[in-house]
Amino acid sequence: MTPALPAVSVSIVIPALNGAATLERVVAPLLPLPDGWELLLVDDGSTDGTVELAGKLGLEVIPSDGRGDDGAARNTGARRSRGDVLVFLDVDVATSRAALERAVACVQREQVGCLFAVYDRGDHLGSHAARYKNFWIRHSTLRARRPLRWLNSSLMLLRRRTLEQAGGFAEGFSCARGGGDLDLGERVAALGAPVVADESFQVAHLKPFSVAGLWRNDSRRAAGWLRSALGRRGLGAVVRRPSLANVGVRFSYGVLATAAAVPLALGALWLHPLAWPAAGALLLGTALNADFLLAAARGRIRSWPAFVVLLWLDQLACAAGLGRELARLLYAHFFGHTFGTGGGGGLPPVGTQ
């Protein structure tokens, strides 16, 4: 017989910026909360009725200490919460109370630094771009090299003490909403307890990605990853080990191949033979990610053939973000300007107020 787990308080923290469209779909399946649980919404400056809706749903609403900064919003919720186990839940990610209770029990029972959920197949999503991004995150999470040194904060659980020891979420990260997950995952893994992606803990991502939204999101996250990686490891380590990114080494090299196709294609307007290496670079970027495209085809993900074009766009978005960040670094080098790297420090150390 499995021994009974000790009673533990649980705090669910939902950082929200204009999340009225999905908030009720996220909160309703969790109610009523078990005894000893609390649910906090940290408002990051919403203007769409999120705060009013949260009040109607009975949530405690807290203003964020750092507007426009998702790391600061999560740290605000952690500081104001009372639970021993902290659950960070995005306003566009839905799960059930039963699934969350099982995840909490796992964190209690196992020596886990952090546990995070895996996205479902995304069949419920309405656009090509949303289904592509959802399935890409799912596939890359399941295929990522273990042990993990990054996490996905869209739905993650960890003990309060672990978050405090890691220093909390990065605040003031100037690549807003990009890189913070990877930064915290690195610091949690350094504590010695594993970061776990639980395949049995699947959640529905409700975010309605557009093509433009996909470009903005991934260019920003690529810039954030590079800033965090350079700050922690230096240029040499990043160049030698592109697998340090959560996207995997094949996608990293695919970004370089697809990016190389652009100047070659432009050059082909004047030197026609350049069309061949341009086409070859584009095909190489696709071939390096053939496992993802085949998984989508075998899984019969709706509109999967469009994923080929969306993959190219995604790779170009990442290349644009990396290029922008490198340009900022060159500017900093020549003009003496510095940019924040997004290190931890958002929470006080263990044992302090």
Side-chain angles (χ1 to χ4, degrees), residues 28-115:
L30 305 179
L31 302 177
L33 293 176
D35 292 339
W37 289 40
E38 64 177 353
L39 182 53
L40 312 176
L41 184 135
V42 183
D43 178 55
D44 203 19
S46 300
T47 58
D48 68 341
T50 296
V51 172
E52 293 78 8
L53 177 58
K56 292 178 181 178
L57 294 171
L59 278 64
E60 181 178 351
V61 179
I62 302 167
S64 175
D65 292 337
R67 292 294 176 88
D69 186 331
D70 57 338
R74 291 187 174 98
N75 286 336
T76 298
R79 284 191 291 267
R80 295 287 295 274
S81 66
R82 300 180 296 273
D84 298 321
V85 173
L86 302 177
V87 179
F88 292 96
L89 174 63
D90 280 1
V91 74
D92 56 11
V93 172
T95 187
S96 68
R97 170 178 157 172
L100 202 51
E101 287 180 303
R102 287 193 296 270
V104 168
C106 181
V107 171
Q108 291 180 258
R109 185 179 295 112
E110 307 293 339
Q111 294 300 312
V112 174
C114 173
L115 182 148

Side-chain angles (χ1 to χ4, degrees), residues 318-340:
C318 291
L322 296 174
R324 184 175 68 249
E325 183 60 21
L326 287 173
R328 289 163 65 92
L329 290 171
L330 289 173
Y331 179 87
H333 176 75
F334 287 109
F335 295 98
H337 186 74
T338 58
F339 299 95

Side-chain angles (χ1 to χ4, degrees), residues 64 137 141 202 239 303:
S64 175
I137 293 174
T141 299
Q202 296 193 21
V239 172
S303 68

Side-chain angles (χ1 to χ4, degrees), residues 22 25-26 74 89-96 117-127 129-138 141 152-155 181 201-210 213-214 217-218 221:
T22 56
R25 294 167 64 188
V26 170
R74 291 187 174 98
L89 174 63
D90 280 1
V91 74
D92 56 11
V93 172
T95 187
S96 68
V118 176
Y119 287 176
D120 65 12
R121 287 165 41 97
D123 296 314
H124 59 282
L125 295 167
S127 72
R131 287 192 294 274
Y132 161 82
K133 185 61 179 175
N134 188 95
F135 191 74
W136 187 88
I137 293 174
R138 172 183 170 83
T141 299
N152 184 341
S153 61
S154 60
L155 202 175
D181 291 8
F201 186 23
Q202 296 193 21
V203 295
H205 192 203
L206 308 177
K207 190 170 186 176
F209 262 111
S210 63
L214 176 67
N217 181 83
D218 287 10
R221 291 193 67 83

